Amino acid sequence: MTPPVGIKGIGYLVLLLAVLAVSTLTIIAYLMPAQAVREAVQAEIRAVTGLEPVVRGNASVSLFPTGRVTLDNVSLADSTGAPALTAERVRARLHFFPLLLRRVKISEISLLRPTIAITLGSDRRSNWSGHIDALAQNLASPRDRSASFSEIRIEDGTIVLREESGRILDTMSQVNFDLAWPLISRSFAATGRLVWRGETMNASVTFADFIAALQGDRSGVKLRLAGSPFKLAFDGYVSHRPTLRMEGTVAADTASLRHVLRWAGERPPVGGGFGRFALKAHANVVGTTVGLSNANVELDGNIGEGVLAFDGRKTVQGTLAAEGLDLTPYVSTLRLLGGGSAGAGHGWSSQPIVLDGFEGMDIDLRLSAARVSIANARLGRTAVVVNLRGGNFNVVIGESQAFGGVVRGSVALGKAGEGTDFRAQLQFANVDLEQCLGEIFGIRRLEGKGNVAFAVESAGASVYDLAKKLNGTANLLSRKGAIAGLNVEQLLKRIERRPLSGAGEFRLGKTPYETLTVNLKIVDGLANVEEVRLEGVAVELGMTGTASIPARELDLRGTASLLPASGQNPRPAVFELPFMVQGSWDDPIMLPDPQSRMERSGAAAPLLDATRGAREPIRSTIERLTGTATQAPAAR
């Protein structure tokens, strides 16, 4: 079908206009001097940015088929001549229709491989301070808006941050950004990506009032930074006159806080944890101080709420409350027990205690939680103060509902030469002794409730070394409990009837007591047992001796008394027997004194008299015959 005459006429008209435009542009390309075009481009860059473009390389002008001006080796400088940036090439694209009127109007500027050097001075100003002032003054002054362009592209740029001394603080490479320059409104936006410390980061920043921001006045700002190490977002307001102030909502998250610390050039703490991290809070920044209120913090699944504060000296202060805390990953490297190798002293860990990763950081945190988990230990409501200063770590336990009772006290760790300085003062009130002593020391022989207190100090490279040099005191008081794995009443009754009988199965039972008192004084890893007294319904025990803390072995002497079922108070002992307790903490052996047993035996007494003054082998043989060898079995 033949198209209507009107449509054909419009098509011919458009074609004619295009031919005329191309022809005119071709003629203009020959008639307009290249020098004039280049100067017009430089003038417009100057008018928009307030910076002087200095061309040190070649310049080329192309007006056909599209208008484009290319300048090589260009720097943008302020009125003093100080360069703001240098670029290998600046490419300006020109509007098409103004060229028909022989007018040069830039539509877009591209900076190819620019280098932006920022030098920080001791007065917190930089070499860009003057450029920013000039740019703010230029944007705020009245000018012909028709001579403005709004798009600037940065391609494959580099940003270098250095001190006045010349030391490079940081470098960002492969900077590719699109800048939306203020044209009609006062807003500014930059969007793109860069490589920062080996990681590609997508970034964007928007100022609601760019002129106010440059002048230091309050302006709305939105910041986004996202990459493999972390994601960061800020929505709020910013000003920097007379000092930097920021207020708004901040959100950050990362799959690995350890990765972020390494990316930032910091050494992460040894051990486990410091994985998934997220933060959302209302931020208030004044100078180098950052305050976070209504903060919601998540670390390794632990979620806390409260307030935090940071300053420029790597100091962290705050108060956080959590429903539940799992601290197992953070104490995984500080294992008390090490599997029982000889080098570990029958159980204490010989792995070095490492406190690296906290140098140069000060922490003062108040933490509270309804539930706390540390390895196999389950604690109830807990309030602690964590303090880290100068590499010294201190934890003050205000109160912790632990092991069925309450724990208070403090624990301190700090570097001491090649090792670690350790101090602890702890009070355990009305705790489950089997659970408490089992979780802390691996001793699971006491049943019942009791109070435990100790104040100790030491220094060494490992837990085993600390045990060898431990000094201090320890006390235990318990009521209505029992010693598991030891039936003293059964042993005394058997020996009363048959003094030379074997030990039997008394180790399978338990010895109940009404009260148990233990007082120790520790000197260089050796615990001098000043008092151990057990008072029960059927038996009484009193012991003194020593306990080797590094070897985890006992060497005690005492007397066991069998009491009548009822009678006067105090009740006289029905039967008394000296005894020894030897062997490891985990599996001690109670040995009745062999001489006392033979003295009580009418048949063995003459034999004992005959051996008085004899050599030790004869005595040992008699002891083996009676089943009362005094040597403790090897620790298992």
Side-chain angles (χ1 to χ4, degrees):
M1 182 176 62
T2 302
V5 177
I7 296 178
K8 289 177 65 178
I10 293 174
Y12 289 141
L13 180 59
V14 171
L15 179 59
L16 177 60
L17 291 175
V19 172
L20 288 175
V22 172
S23 300
T24 303
L25 190 58
T26 304
I27 295 173
I28 292 174
Y30 286 99
L31 297 180
M32 183 177 289
Q35 180 67 21
V37 176
R38 183 172 65 249
E39 291 177 354
V41 168
Q42 291 179 252
E44 190 163 2
I45 294 176
R46 185 186 311 113
V48 171
T49 65
L51 301 174
E52 179 67 38
V54 179
V55 182
R56 294 184 174 87
N58 297 326
S60 62
V61 177
S62 174
L63 300 181
F64 184 82
T66 59
R68 184 173 63 183
V69 177
T70 302
L71 308 175
D72 294 336
N73 193 5
V74 179
S75 64
L76 298 181
D78 59 16
S79 58
T80 65
L85 62 86
T86 59
E88 291 186 15
R89 178 170 295 173
V90 174
R91 186 171 56 232
R93 295 185 181 275
L94 308 179
H95 284 290
F96 175 77
F97 288 106
L99 283 176
L100 299 180
L101 302 176
R102 300 185 63 183
R103 295 178 59 186
V104 176
K105 298 296 182 184
I106 299 175
S107 64
E108 176 186 300
I109 286 287
S110 296
L111 306 178
L112 280 65
R113 290 176 292 279
T115 297
I116 303 172
I118 303 174
T119 303
L120 299 177
S122 57
D123 58 354
R124 299 186 180 274
R125 288 177 63 86
S126 73
N127 61 319
W128 268 77
S129 299
H131 306 319
I132 293 175
D133 293 341
L135 182 59
Q137 182 178 0
N138 182 71
L139 290 175
S141 62
R143 67 183 190 277
D144 183 8
R145 292 289 178 177
S146 63
S148 300
F149 55 89
S150 62
E151 295 183 21
I152 299 178
R153 295 178 57 85
I154 296 177
E155 300 181 15
D156 197 17
T158 301
I159 301 175
V160 180
L161 183 66
R162 59 166 59 98
E163 294 178 335
E164 281 183 316
S165 62
R167 185 173 72 94
I168 295 178
L169 300 175
D170 218 329
T171 301
M172 304 174 196
S173 61
Q174 301 181 36
V175 180
N176 293 276
F177 268 78
D178 292 325
L179 281 61
W181 207 253
L183 183 58
I184 300 175
S185 66
R186 297 169 64 94
S187 65
F188 167 86
T191 304
R193 63 175 54 193
L194 51 85
V195 175
W196 191 4
R197 298 186 178 184
E199 297 285 355
T200 300
M201 310 290 290
N202 295 313
S204 67
V205 59
T206 301
F207 290 97
D209 191 332
F210 190 47
I211 298 175
L214 293 176
Q215 293 174 335
D217 297 329
R218 182 180 172 93
S219 170
V221 62
K222 292 184 178 181
L223 174 66
R224 301 288 186 271
L225 194 60
S228 176
F230 63 90
K231 295 179 181 178
L232 174 68
F234 176 80
D235 290 346
Y237 298 90
V238 64
S239 65
H240 62 85
R241 189 168 58 180
T243 187
L244 175 65
R245 296 186 65 95
M246 297 180 67
E247 182 182 356
T249 301
V250 63
D253 69 85
T254 176
S256 174
L257 187 55
R258 287 185 175 275
H259 181 38
V260 174
L261 292 173
R262 294 190 187 98
W263 172 85
E266 301 290 340
R267 182 166 51 180
V270 298
F274 295 94
R276 165 72 180 172
F277 172 81
L279 167 70
K280 187 174 183 181
H282 182 80
N284 194 330
V285 181
V286 180
T288 59
T289 301
V290 180
L292 302 177
S293 59
N294 297 323
N296 185 287
V297 183
E298 177 184 352
L299 178 60
D300 299 319
N302 299 312
I303 300 176
E305 297 180 349
V307 295
L308 293 170
F310 309 84
D311 68 12
R313 297 184 301 274
K314 294 185 178 180
T315 299
V316 181
Q317 295 178 312
T319 301
L320 292 175
E323 185 65 26
L325 289 177
D326 184 2
L327 304 181
T328 303
Y330 316 113
V331 299
S332 60
T333 56
L334 190 60
R335 297 183 58 189
L336 295 183
L337 302 181
S341 63
H346 302 298
W348 297 120
S349 172
S350 59
Q351 295 182 358
I353 299 174
V354 181
L355 298 179
D356 295 339
F358 294 106
E359 296 87 349
M361 178 180 294
D362 292 340
I363 297 176
D364 186 5
L365 289 179
R366 287 159 177 78
L367 304 175
S368 61
R371 303 182 310 275
V372 179
S373 299
I374 305 177
N376 296 325
R378 300 292 182 267
L379 312 182
R381 188 168 299 280
T382 300
V384 301
V385 176
V386 179
N387 183 272
L388 176 66
R389 191 174 297 275
N392 297 316
F393 187 73
N394 186 61
V395 177
V396 177
I397 305 172
E399 181 175 296
S400 176
Q401 297 176 356
F403 311 117
V406 176
V407 179
R408 296 182 178 89
S410 64
V411 178
L413 289 172
K415 285 193 172 183
E418 298 297 324
T420 299
D421 183 72
F422 168 75
R423 299 173 186 271
Q425 291 185 344
L426 294 172
Q427 298 83 40
F428 300 79
N430 199 33
V431 295
D432 184 292
L433 294 176
E434 182 178 24
Q435 184 183 11
C436 176
L437 299 179
E439 293 294 342
I440 299 176
F441 302 111
I443 301 174
R444 300 186 182 276
R445 291 289 180 178
L446 290 181
E447 298 178 356
K449 292 272 191 173
N451 301 331
V452 181
F454 58 84
V456 294
E457 60 181 30
S458 184
S462 65
V463 175
Y464 178 56
D465 291 339
L466 293 179
K468 291 193 297 183
K469 300 178 182 179
L470 195 67
N471 293 281
T473 60
N475 310 96
L476 181 149
L477 176 62
S478 176
R479 301 183 185 277
K480 300 290 184 181
I483 300 177
L486 184 65
N487 192 329
V488 177
E489 181 182 6
Q490 179 180 334
L491 173 64
L492 292 177
K493 288 181 178 180
R494 178 177 293 152
I495 293 177
E496 180 186 20
R497 294 192 304 268
R498 294 176 294 169
L500 298 182
S501 64
E505 298 299 325
F506 71 92
R507 293 179 60 195
L508 298 180
K510 62 178 62 177
T511 300
Y513 58 79
E514 294 297 309
T515 61
L516 173 63
T517 303
V518 179
N519 294 312
L520 308 177
K521 184 176 182 179
I522 306 168
V523 179
D524 291 334
L526 185 66
N528 297 294
V529 181
E530 297 181 338
E531 179 186 22
V532 174
R533 176 161 297 279
L534 180 149
E535 298 179 356
V537 175
V539 298
E540 286 185 352
L541 289 176
M543 288 185 287
T544 59
T546 61
S548 173
I549 296 176
R552 296 172 60 84
E553 292 181 348
L554 302 172
D555 186 8
L556 306 176
R557 300 289 189 276
T559 300
S561 302
L562 184 65
L563 303 177
S566 60
Q568 61 187 11
N569 189 15
R571 291 177 294 167
V574 176
F575 175 66
E576 292 184 345
L577 179 68
F579 66 92
M580 299 169 286
V581 176
Q582 295 180 332
S584 70
W585 296 3
D586 305 316
D587 194 15
I589 300 294
M590 181 177 180
L591 301 169
D593 180 66
Q595 179 175 332
S596 175
R597 294 177 65 181
M598 287 188 289
E599 288 175 348
R600 292 179 179 278
S601 172
L607 181 60
L608 178 63
D609 293 337
T611 61
R612 295 186 187 277
R615 296 176 61 86
E616 185 64 25
I618 300 176
R619 185 177 182 86
S620 299
T621 301
I622 296 174
E623 291 174 351
R624 287 196 298 271
L625 290 174
T626 60
T628 58
T630 61
Q631 294 297 318
R636 294 182 290 180

